[in-house]
Amino acid sequence: MRAALAVVAAAAAAFLGLWASVDRPVARPDTVAACDLRLAVERSWPDASAAVGRAPEAFQRITVLSGDGAVAASRGRPMDTDREAFRAGASSFDVVVGGQRVGVLRIADGRAGELARARRRVLLLAGGAIAAISLACLALHAFHRRRIARPFAALRAFAADVAAGNLDAPLTMDRGNLFGPFTEAFDIMRDELARARRREEEAKQSKKDLVAELGHDIRTPVASIAATAELLALTETDAARRSKLETVGDLTGQIEALVADLFQANEEELAVLRVEPEVVASGEVAALLRAADPDGAIRPFDLPGCLVSVDRLRMRQVFDNVVANSRKYAATPVTVASRLEGDFLVVDVRDTGPGVPSGELEAILGKGVRGSNAAGRPGQGLGLFTASYLMERMGGSLHCRDAAPGLGVVVEIPLAR
């Protein structure tokens, strides 16, 4: 736009310069003939008609005014006012008789009129040409802005959006501008990038799902294997077999550590786990809790008859983590108490081990947090964290209490509605 305005300003300056050079005073008529006419008027004064009649034909308009401004003689339309004389481009001469100024002689030469008309024609032609050039420049600027500048700006903005990761906004295609084919190509590229991004996200999501599922599913049987091997080692009298059982326990510990590392490398694994609660009887929940106790540490118990809303697989994982945690840190018999409370079936799983300091009861539910009394025992601080998170996803909750002695883990399971 600035370039177009500069062109228009230059054209205006050129027109003004042309006007200044052409708009000069009209040349005076033939001085000798004008002086002769003035002398003839003075000699015949006050009757100037005869002198005016004998004037050269080149003098198309002649007016003689007396001292009071009256027209004494005239050829053509009288120039009785200064304005009319100026418009005609007339030259004025004083008429002097007997040393006194008695009138004025005004002469408009035809050649001066032709010059004035020629000047006007030149100015009109020059002005028209400059105006046409200015309009052409403005039209060219408008065309450039519409067909080149705006599409290019749109392409630049589109490229910035793509670079920023915004692949949802399509690029409007206009085949009428110079960038039409490029516009279509860029929009095809955007679609391909969007599809590639979706495929990448789906692949990442699939990987997370697989890691989360395998991680949780591996930890449960590994924990059972470790507990069974530990129990057999305690009752085994043959040293060679007891050594092999201890080796199994060590290897399961390594597997658990590797799974924990896998969890930490994929720290969003819990968020992508599918949790699909369904209505089940409390008897099935009791069976899941008993299945989490392969070495028989849980004393006989029963749950109140009711219907609850849980995901069977996730509920099993919750109980596996709770019981495995008790077995690892307490190694005592486990008692289960239960009751119906409001909209929940409350299951209290308690051991009689050393427990956890009361100030750490809430903290040990955090990811990677272990109690101060866990030194020397393998673990990553993920068991109770995972169990608490899964209960929240199922609409329930999990918290710890000081059982004095021991630790109580209270699981609130939502009743079916």
Side-chain angles (χ1 to χ4, degrees):
M1 185 63 182
R2 288 192 294 268
L5 291 178
V7 171
V8 173
F15 178 75
L16 291 176
L18 181 62
W19 178 280
S21 64
V22 174
D23 188 28
R24 290 179 293 204
V26 179
R28 295 175 63 85
D30 185 353
T31 304
V32 175
C35 289
D36 290 343
L37 177 58
R38 178 178 63 81
L39 292 174
V41 170
E42 289 176 348
R43 284 194 297 267
S44 62
W45 191 264
D47 183 11
S49 299
V52 170
R54 293 192 299 270
E57 293 296 329
F59 298 164
Q60 294 183 346
R61 296 177 66 184
I62 303 172
T63 301
V64 180
L65 301 177
S66 61
D68 58 1
V71 178
S74 178
R75 174 191 288 179
R77 190 171 67 252
M79 299 177 285
D80 52 349
T81 64
D82 293 338
R83 180 179 179 182
E84 183 66 26
F86 177 79
R87 291 179 61 184
S91 299
S92 298
F93 303 89
D94 291 336
V95 178
V96 180
V97 178
Q100 297 293 325
R101 179 178 179 277
V102 297
V104 177
L105 170 63
R106 290 175 174 172
I107 303 173
D109 195 335
R111 290 173 298 175
E114 290 295 330
L115 179 60
R117 285 190 291 273
R119 179 190 62 193
R120 286 194 295 270
R121 285 194 297 271
V122 170
L123 290 176
L124 287 175
L125 290 174
I130 292 174
I133 293 173
S134 300
L135 290 175
C137 290
L138 291 174
L140 180 61
H141 170 74
F143 175 82
H144 175 273
R145 183 176 179 82
R146 181 180 177 183
R147 298 298 187 184
I148 300 178
R150 286 182 180 175
F152 185 78
L155 283 176
R156 183 171 56 186
F158 173 78
D161 285 342
V162 171
N166 180 16
L167 302 177
D168 296 328
L171 180 61
T172 303
M173 183 176 65
D174 183 3
R175 296 182 180 275
N177 62 62
L178 299 178
F179 293 92
F182 294 101
T183 301
E184 184 175 9
F186 273 110
D187 207 44
I188 292 173
M189 179 192 69
R190 178 193 63 82
D191 288 339
E192 291 299 325
L193 287 174
R195 280 193 287 270
R197 170 176 287 184
R198 286 194 295 270
R199 288 193 294 268
E200 180 184 7
E201 291 175 352
E202 290 171 358
K204 288 182 179 179
Q205 188 67 29
S206 177
K207 185 207 73 170
K208 290 180 180 179
D209 289 344
L210 179 62
V211 170
E213 293 284 355
L214 289 178
H216 281 281
D217 291 343
I218 290 172
R219 290 189 67 195
T220 298
V222 166
S224 298
I225 292 171
T228 302
E230 182 180 0
L231 178 62
L232 292 175
L234 291 174
T235 59
E236 181 59 58
T237 58
D238 183 88
R241 286 197 292 266
R242 186 169 56 251
S243 176
K244 291 180 179 179
L245 288 172
E246 290 174 354
T247 301
V248 171
D250 292 340
L251 292 176
T252 56
Q254 293 180 13
I255 294 174
E256 185 178 357
L258 290 173
V259 172
D261 290 341
L262 187 62
F263 273 18
Q264 290 180 343
N266 187 38
E267 60 182 22
E268 295 181 358
E269 75 287 344
L270 289 178
V272 301
L273 279 178
R274 289 190 299 273
V275 178
E276 301 173 350
E278 57 182 326
V279 177
V280 301
S282 58
E284 292 190 50
V285 175
L288 293 174
L289 180 52
R290 292 188 184 98
D293 178 34
D295 55 0
I298 299 177
R299 292 174 176 173
F301 69 95
D302 288 308
L303 300 182
C306 61
L307 295 176
V308 294
S309 176
V310 296
D311 183 313
R312 288 183 177 87
L313 175 61
R314 305 311 173 197
M315 197 72 244
R316 171 65 186 271
Q317 290 172 347
V318 170
F319 287 145
D320 283 340
N321 283 321
V322 171
V323 175
N325 189 75
S326 175
R327 191 165 50 237
K328 180 190 297 185
Y329 296 108
T332 67
V334 175
T335 60
V336 176
S338 59
R339 64 186 183 278
L340 293 175
E341 186 175 293
D343 295 331
F344 298 95
L345 168 61
V346 180
V347 180
D348 189 347
V349 182
R350 172 193 171 189
D351 61 50
T352 55
V356 175
S358 58
E360 300 177 4
L361 290 175
E362 183 176 352
I364 60 175
L365 297 180
K367 184 176 183 180
V369 178
R370 305 180 70 197
S372 57
N373 59 352
R377 292 183 175 89
Q380 301 292 330
L382 296 173
L384 292 179
F385 164 75
T386 302
S388 175
Y389 181 84
L390 291 175
M391 286 309 304
E392 290 181 3
R393 292 283 301 276
M394 288 187 285
S397 66
L398 182 148
H399 62 273
C400 298
R401 67 177 183 86
D402 186 358
L407 175 68
V409 179
V410 181
V411 182
E412 296 183 345
I413 305 172
L415 297 176
R417 296 181 180 178

